[in-house]
């Protein structure tokens, strides 16, 4: 089983990925947690791809939507080959911190920002391209947090403010996730504003359990009896 966490910087993807991994491990489910950009230190090809993808601005890569999308797709293809596919074959549940919907949301955001048109047209193209990166998650969870709140959290975490241009782009990413969620039943929305991490975790488990088999947290199970 492959589970992906999606959302803006600051939405809590890493925290929720680790909470879910810990929960499944306690339930004796074999888990393989893949942090964002795992391939950077794993092999030479992954490192090379990430170096090509990198730029001074983490949200404005090369200014070319095709280049950015294809590089992001190549990075995930490498991650699938080196980590996801072997883990799934071994019977592990894989938790992916950012998956196919990250490729789609960031590229769609660029299209919305620079190439006005119908979001559906962009989504169709992005699905065709991102399909080359390997299997989509059995369930992807979008941790939905208002863009300005997510940006503020990320800026506090990183110790530096985001630029006005980055604010504007991430608002487009938030909008893009909304379009993707409306179009793709495999992307499940969990609203996290005002919730503590343990509350988000319970909401995530509930949302996932509606799609794939997953044990509920012990305290949650007892409260339902």
């Amino acid at each position: 089983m492959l589970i992906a966490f999606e959302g803006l910087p600051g939405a809590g993807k890493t925290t929720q990925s680790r909470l879910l991994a810990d929960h499944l491990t306690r339930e004796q489910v074999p888990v393989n947690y893949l942090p964002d950009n795992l391939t950077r230190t794993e092999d030479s090809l992954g490192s090379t791809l990430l170096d090509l993808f990198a730029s001074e601005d983490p949200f404005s890569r090369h200014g070319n939507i095709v280049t950015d999308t294809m590089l992001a797709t190549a990075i995930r293809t490498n991650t699938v080959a080196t980590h996801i596919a072997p883990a799934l074959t071994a019977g592990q549940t894989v938790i992916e911190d950012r998956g196919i919907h990250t490729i789609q949301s960031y590229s769609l955001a660029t299209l919305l920002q620079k190439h006005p048109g119908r979001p559906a047209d962009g989504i169709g193209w992005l699905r065709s391209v991102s399909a080359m990166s390997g299997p989509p998650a059995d369930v992807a969870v979008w941790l939905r947090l208002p863009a300005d709140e997510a940006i503020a959290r990320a800026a506090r975490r990183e110790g530096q403010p985001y630029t006005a241009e980055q604010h504007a782009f991430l608002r487009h990413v938030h909008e893009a996730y909304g379009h993707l969620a409306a179009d793709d039943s495999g992307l499940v929305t969990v609203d996290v504003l005002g919730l503590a991490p343990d509350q988000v975790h319970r909401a995530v488990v509930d949302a996932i359990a509606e799609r794939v088999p997953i044990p509920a947290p012990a305290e949650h199970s007892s409260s339902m009896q």
Side-chain angles (χ1 to χ4, degrees):
M1 179 168 59
L2 176 59
I3 301 169
F5 279 90
E6 299 285 353
L8 293 180
K13 296 181 299 299
T14 300
T15 296
Q16 293 305 319
S17 295
R18 290 173 174 168
L19 284 174
L20 183 61
D22 291 344
H23 166 62
L24 293 176
T25 298
R26 288 193 300 271
E27 296 293 335
Q28 299 183 339
V29 175
V31 176
N32 192 321
Y33 164 57
L34 302 181
D36 185 25
N37 282 348
L38 173 72
T39 50
R40 181 177 297 280
T41 59
E42 292 298 313
D43 60 43
S44 57
L45 175 58
S47 179
T48 298
L49 288 170
L50 282 163
D51 287 343
L52 289 171
F53 193 54
S55 69
E56 293 183 0
D57 187 334
F59 308 122
S60 179
R61 304 290 184 174
H62 301 285
N64 184 301
I65 184 63
V66 175
T67 299
D68 288 350
T69 303
M70 296 303 291
L71 280 171
T73 299
I75 289 168
R76 187 174 187 271
T77 301
N78 179 262
T79 302
V80 168
T82 56
H83 291 86
I84 294 176
L88 293 175
T89 299
Q92 297 175 325
T93 291
V94 178
I95 299 175
E96 189 179 14
D97 187 340
R98 295 192 177 278
I100 281 180
H101 290 95
T102 290
I103 300 172
Q104 295 174 350
S105 64
Y106 278 72
S107 292
L108 183 58
T110 300
L111 290 172
L112 293 172
Q113 187 177 41
K114 298 182 178 180
H115 307 282
R118 295 196 319 147
D121 294 334
I123 291 172
W125 174 70
L126 289 166
R127 277 188 174 170
S128 298
V129 173
S130 59
M132 295 187 292
S133 72
D138 294 292
V139 59
V141 180
W142 173 29
L143 301 176
R144 183 165 64 184
L145 186 66
D148 288 341
E149 175 65 21
I151 293 166
R153 290 186 185 183
R156 287 194 298 269
R157 179 187 64 200
E158 296 168 17
Q160 60 183 15
Y162 280 36
T163 66
E165 291 78 11
Q166 290 170 336
H167 274 255
F169 179 71
L170 288 173
R171 291 189 187 104
H172 282 293
V173 174
H174 181 78
E175 180 186 355
Y177 270 122
H179 288 299
L180 292 171
D183 187 73
D184 185 351
S185 61
L187 181 59
V188 178
T189 302
V190 173
D191 287 302
V192 304
L193 181 64
L195 300 182
D198 63 325
Q199 294 173 313
V200 176
H201 171 61
R202 290 192 181 94
V204 165
V205 171
D206 286 344
I208 292 175
E210 293 180 1
R211 307 300 181 96
V212 295
I214 182 172
E219 62 271 25
H220 186 67
S221 297
S222 60
S223 65
M224 295 294 289
Q225 293 177 352

